[in-house]
């Protein structure tokens, strides 16, 4: 006997009145169903509720003569900006335009904020509908998003209850018997988009119903609803920063990368991908340089033998200098421990300055200025390098020690005599999050003429 092909049905729920602060959305939805203007609700149906009416019912209407101030208050991080448009991460972790602050369909002089906790909003609606109608439904609270690399808007899930928000297909096989290893479907987002096709944006139909996908509503078949509803919610759809490969990109994100570049002094033992370091070098050599020169060289110490050989030789040279300066053995040992940040890192890089192409001047003043230009461009290259490492989620520490024993470094690493080591960069995965850094007032570093 042939089975019917998979199918589902979606329709908008008519009969909902204008929602006002303090309204019980579940009761309004139940009343609209009871009026008979729709096919009713059965176990396994999914209610798709526009976040705007959840916000109105929860009193998330605020007076705001300036919408921008409301956006500021809801923003955690600016991701991108173009003219007046801002793409930001809001306090819910959602990356979207204007932090979800809406000035449409709300009285003049006010704006509408997203629900305080959209998952909790969905749970209240689900529980209320179950109490009023005796049916086990899933609820998805939706909002409209733009998407990177795609034109147009679509609804996505920002809150959910009683719904499997992620349909994990890993471990199953496709029609050809191939194992699925990475397929996790954003089921709640797909439901939200389906509902938006019938709700529309201007028809005054803020709720839709999907029927025929009861496998996404575990409670409909008895048991399991609480785990789905109280556990994941739509929050599970928000990718955490550590897994976000596209967190950086625009000019605002570049500034964020600069902020993320922190000196790391404790590293894990996890090996460093040499390809990531080479990508950071590619960023480094885009720095400005005088006379169309390329004065950077980066020596990558990828073997433990190379790192240990260099650090041991530098330690011996430093100890000899300290003893010659009259330091006690205790003081010498204490100062040598400062080099542990390099010794404990799984990867070292020695940036070098090469002044090929520099101009020769007969007087000392201009000759010193010429070298300073090259030193400055070396620093610019290293800064590019450090920021690019942060973009690769690698921590770093730029330590000046090689500058005090350049002859030793050149000898151990067999470098040309005209390569000037400009410190050493420890590279690796940070063993712990960086400590909070006190904010610096940019105006304190500015002098205007």
């Amino acid at each position: 006997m042939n089975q019917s092909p998979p199918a589902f049905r979606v329709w908008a729920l008519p009969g909902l009145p204008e929602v006002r602060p303090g309204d019980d959305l579940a009761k309004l939805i139940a009343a609209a169903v009871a009026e008979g203007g729709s096919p009713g609700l059965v176990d396994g149906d999914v209610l798709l509720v526009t976040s705007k009416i959840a916000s109105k019912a929860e009193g998330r209407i605020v007076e705001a003569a300036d919408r921008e101030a409301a956006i500021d208050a809801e923003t955690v991080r600016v991701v991108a900006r173009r003219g007046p448009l801002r793409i930001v991460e809001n306090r819910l972790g959602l990356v979207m335009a204007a932090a979800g602050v809406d000035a449409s369909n709300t009285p003049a002089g006010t704006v509408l904020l997203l629900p305080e906790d959209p998952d909790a909003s969905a749970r209240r609606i689900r529980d209320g509908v179950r109490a009023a109608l005796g049916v086990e439904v899933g609820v998805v609270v939706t909002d409209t998003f733009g998407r990177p690399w795609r034109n147009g808007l679509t609804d996505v899930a920002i809150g959910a209850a009683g719904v499997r928000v992620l349909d994990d297909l890993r471990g199953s096989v496709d029609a050809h018997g191939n194992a699925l290893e990475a397929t996790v479907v954003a089921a709640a987002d797909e439901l939200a988009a389906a509902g938006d096709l019938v709700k529309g944006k201007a028809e005054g139909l803020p709720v839709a119903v999907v029927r025929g996908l009861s496998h996404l509503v575990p409670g409909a078949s008895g048991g399991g609803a609480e785990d789905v509803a109280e556990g994941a919610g739509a929050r599970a759809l928000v990718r955490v920063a550590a897994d976000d490969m596209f967190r950086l990109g625009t000019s605002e994100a570049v500034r964020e990368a600069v902020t993320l570049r922190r000196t790391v002094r404790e590293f894990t033992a996890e090996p460093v991908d040499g390809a990531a370091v080479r990508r950071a070098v590619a960023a480094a050599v885009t720095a400005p340089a005088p006379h169309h020169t390329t004065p950077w060289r980066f020596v990558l110490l990828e073997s433990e033998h190379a790192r240990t050989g260099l650090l041991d030789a530098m330690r011996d040279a430093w100890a000899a200098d300290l003893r010659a300066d009259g330091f006690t053995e205790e003081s010498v040992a204490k100062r040598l421990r400062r080099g542990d940040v390099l010794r404990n890192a799984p990867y070292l890089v020695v940036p070098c300055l090469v002044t090929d192409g520099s101009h020769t001047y007969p007087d000392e003043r201009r000759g010193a200025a010429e070298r300073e230009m090259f030193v400055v461009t070396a620093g610019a290259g290293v800064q590019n390098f450090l920021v690019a490492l942060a973009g690769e989620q690698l921590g770093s520490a730029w330590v000046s020690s090689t500058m005090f024993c350049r002859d030793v470094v050149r000898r151990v690493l067999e470098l040309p005599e005209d390569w000037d080591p400009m410190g050493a960069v420890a590279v690796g995965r940070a063993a712990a999050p960086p400590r909070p850094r006190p904010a610096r007032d940019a105006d304190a570093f500015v002098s205007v003429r």
Side-chain angles (χ1 to χ4, degrees):
M1 180 177 179
N2 293 331
Q3 292 184 336
S4 299
F8 69 91
R9 180 183 176 193
V10 58
W11 67 90
L13 181 65
L16 280 170
E18 178 69 23
V19 176
R20 293 178 171 79
D23 281 347
D24 186 326
L25 274 185
K27 288 184 177 179
L28 294 180
I29 290 171
V33 171
E35 287 178 2
S38 74
L41 294 177
V42 300
D43 289 347
D45 285 348
V46 180
L47 287 169
L48 307 165
V49 180
T50 303
S51 63
K52 192 168 296 186
I53 63 170
S55 294
K56 288 182 176 180
E58 295 169 15
R60 296 284 288 163
I61 304 172
V62 297
E63 293 186 5
D66 181 6
R67 180 177 177 233
E68 296 303 308
I71 295 171
D72 289 341
E74 293 291 296
T75 294
V76 171
R77 176 176 68 95
V78 176
V79 176
R81 184 194 304 268
R82 180 170 295 170
L85 175 63
R86 281 186 283 172
I87 306 298
V88 306
E89 179 184 345
N90 68 13
R91 56 182 181 73
L92 298 172
L94 303 172
V95 177
M96 60 194 309
V101 176
D102 197 340
S104 62
N105 293 312
T106 185
T110 67
V111 295
L112 200 59
L113 310 182
L114 291 177
E116 186 77 29
D117 182 348
D119 285 331
S121 304
R123 290 194 294 269
R124 284 191 293 270
I125 296 169
R126 179 207 60 181
D127 293 345
V129 168
R130 182 201 294 134
L133 301 178
V135 292
E136 192 66 61
V137 298
V139 176
V140 175
V141 176
T142 73
D143 199 57
T144 303
F145 275 48
R147 300 150 301 153
W149 308 292
R150 304 285 289 179
N151 288 321
L153 305 172
T154 186
D155 266 21
V156 303
I158 66 168
V163 174
R164 197 187 312 279
V165 296
L166 291 167
D167 198 10
D168 191 346
L169 303 180
R170 291 173 297 183
S172 59
V173 296
D174 63 18
H176 298 280
N178 300 310
L180 301 178
E181 298 178 353
T183 305
V184 181
V185 177
D189 282 347
E190 293 186 328
L191 289 167
D196 191 46
L197 291 173
V198 295
K199 287 188 296 180
K201 299 298 181 190
E203 287 78 6
L205 298 169
V207 177
V209 182
V210 168
R211 178 170 296 169
L213 300 175
S214 59
H215 66 284
L216 297 176
V217 186
S221 56
E226 292 306 314
D227 289 339
V228 172
E230 308 302 338
R235 187 75 186 186
L237 293 162
V238 178
R239 180 172 280 128
V240 298
D243 295 333
D244 188 351
M245 295 175 64
F246 307 102
R247 189 171 179 85
L248 307 178
T250 65
S251 58
E252 287 79 12
V254 170
R255 285 196 289 273
E256 172 108 349
V258 174
T259 302
L260 288 173
R261 191 226 56 79
R262 300 289 301 277
T263 296
V264 174
R265 300 194 180 278
E266 295 182 17
F267 299 94
T268 70
E270 182 180 349
V272 171
D273 179 8
V277 177
R278 286 166 174 78
R279 289 193 293 271
V281 170
V285 299
T286 65
H291 315 317
H292 305 288
T293 58
T294 54
W296 318 274
R297 304 293 185 271
F298 290 83
V299 185
L300 311 184
L301 277 62
E302 297 188 333
S303 72
E304 184 176 357
H305 173 75
R307 294 192 297 273
T308 302
L310 174 64
L311 295 176
D312 286 351
M314 288 172 55
R315 178 198 59 202
D316 294 344
W318 192 13
D321 285 344
L322 292 170
R323 292 186 182 107
D325 291 338
F327 285 94
T328 65
E329 288 303 312
E330 181 181 358
S331 296
V332 170
K334 181 179 180 180
R335 283 165 170 76
L336 291 179
R337 283 196 293 271
R338 295 175 183 170
D340 285 349
V341 63
L342 296 178
R343 196 169 291 275
N344 295 334
Y347 198 108
L348 290 183
V349 178
V350 178
C352 295
L353 170 65
V354 178
T355 56
D356 287 348
S358 63
H359 293 178
T360 301
Y361 294 95
D363 61 286
E364 183 178 346
R365 174 181 58 83
R366 287 187 290 171
E370 179 75 3
R371 176 169 174 79
E372 286 175 359
M373 284 199 306
F374 279 81
V375 171
V376 167
T377 203
V382 174
Q383 171 71 351
N384 278 11
F385 180 65
L386 301 179
V387 171
L389 288 175
E392 298 279 353
Q393 297 186 323
L394 288 170
S396 63
W398 185 16
V399 181
S400 62
S401 52
T402 68
M403 300 172 69
F404 292 87
C405 55
R406 285 177 168 142
D407 56 339
V408 173
V409 177
R410 281 191 286 262
R411 173 175 54 80
V412 173
L413 298 182
E414 300 180 347
L415 303 180
E417 284 299 316
D418 61 345
W419 286 29
D420 277 349
M422 304 298 287
V425 180
V427 182
R429 302 285 179 185
R435 296 177 181 176
R437 179 165 52 190
R440 293 173 179 170
D441 181 5
D443 288 341
F445 302 90
V446 172
S447 179
V448 180
R449 296 291 187 270

